Amino acid sequence: GCIVSGGAGEKEFRRAKAAGQDIARGFARVFVFQCRDNIEREQHGNRAVRYAGKLFRGGGIQAINPALYAKMPFDTVKAFSAIARVGTSPNALVINNNVAAKTVKDFISLAKQKPRQFNFGAAGVGTSTHLAAELFKAMAGVNIVRVPYKGTGPAMTAVMSGEVEAIFATPSGAAPHMKSGAMRALAILGRKRSALLADVPTTAELGYPDVLVGSWYGVFAPAATPVDIVRRLARELGDM
């Protein structure tokens, strides 16, 4: 089985399912995918430590949560064997199309004029959608309010409907919705532009070189997994 961050249909699930299906063919096994939010991933990650048959795929819970929480239910370094990194992506500042801002400078100016009146959607505490916004707030000197959702999908829907004004999402998650005209991207939070949003400038270009946030996606197995299995999984993923 494979425990996946986020909800069914979200980018994490799609990436994990594609990787898992290739692995399953190589091992002649059927993979069962379970979607878990940030809190549930901790609980199931703790359970996965004890069962070598369980694969665990994570990013934030492996790297971010240990820095946020004084006590974790497991040691993210010792409890798992890292198999492979399967993808990376920068985050992007995306806003509802009705917000009267055409640039990041406009958005910052509006947010400063209306402190705590602009909201951003976040897919749980400690996710990149949350921490990217907090970094942006600190560097730009604005006070926008976090509205938590149970996944990037619901948060994205909230931006499109106007329930919240912004989200710090990945380009792959935002690009399909931008085509409908419901939202638009103002900046890529990185040094390089995204191929999916080639016309959108980076924060580095716009004078915010330290506002750099991205997500990475990896495959992990419990530390008790035999080394030959871990190596074979790495080979299967390397051949994708």
Side-chain angles (χ1 to χ4, degrees):
C2 185
I3 297 172
V4 185
S5 60
E10 292 186 5
K11 62 183 184 302
E12 293 90 348
F13 181 85
R14 295 195 300 271
R15 287 175 185 260
K17 192 169 183 180
Q21 287 173 339
D22 281 350
I23 294 173
R25 280 191 288 270
F27 278 80
R29 294 286 188 273
V30 175
F31 270 41
V32 177
F33 293 86
Q34 301 179 51
C35 298
R36 297 290 181 262
D37 63 21
N38 206 32
I39 295 173
E40 289 177 313
R41 287 202 310 274
E42 287 188 13
Q43 297 168 345
H44 283 259
N46 194 29
R47 193 179 74 187
V49 170
R50 305 193 299 272
Y51 299 100
K54 287 284 187 183
L55 282 178
F56 179 83
R57 181 184 179 280
I61 194 169
Q62 296 295 116
I64 297 174
N65 284 9
L68 290 180
Y69 301 106
K71 188 174 182 181
M72 290 280 289
F74 52 85
D75 187 314
T76 58
V77 175
K78 295 179 180 178
F80 296 96
S81 293
I83 296 171
R85 187 178 69 177
V86 295
T88 61
S89 176
N91 283 57
L93 168 56
V94 182
I95 64 172
N96 177 279
N97 206 38
N98 291 325
V99 176
K102 301 298 183 184
T103 65
V104 170
K105 185 177 180 180
D106 292 343
F107 183 76
I108 292 172
S109 177
L110 286 172
K112 285 183 175 180
Q113 292 171 28
K114 302 177 180 180
R116 296 190 63 80
Q117 291 186 41
F118 275 25
N119 302 313
F120 69 91
V125 175
T127 60
S128 67
T129 56
H130 173 205
L131 297 184
E134 296 299 338
L135 177 61
F136 179 81
K137 286 168 59 176
M139 298 303 293
V142 296
N143 191 352
I144 54 178
V145 180
R146 176 177 67 91
V147 179
Y149 292 91
K150 290 186 176 181
T152 305
M156 200 79 74
T157 299
V159 178
M160 289 189 287
S161 68
E163 185 175 306
V164 297
E165 283 77 20
I167 186 172
F168 290 78
T170 59
S172 61
H177 303 297
M178 290 172 60
K179 292 178 181 178
S180 70
M183 57 172 63
R184 63 181 179 275
L186 298 183
I188 301 295
L189 277 62
R191 294 187 177 92
K192 294 173 59 179
R193 293 196 180 198
S194 167
L196 293 174
L197 302 173
D199 294 333
V200 179
T202 67
T203 45
E205 292 176 56
L206 297 172
Y208 297 93
D210 295 324
V211 182
L212 307 172
V213 182
S215 302
W216 58 265
Y217 311 98
V219 180
F220 298 84
T225 305
V227 174
D228 60 328
I229 297 295
V230 172
R231 288 175 178 169
R232 186 176 172 188
L233 286 166
R235 285 198 302 272
E236 295 288 344
L237 286 165
D239 290 339
M240 285 176 58

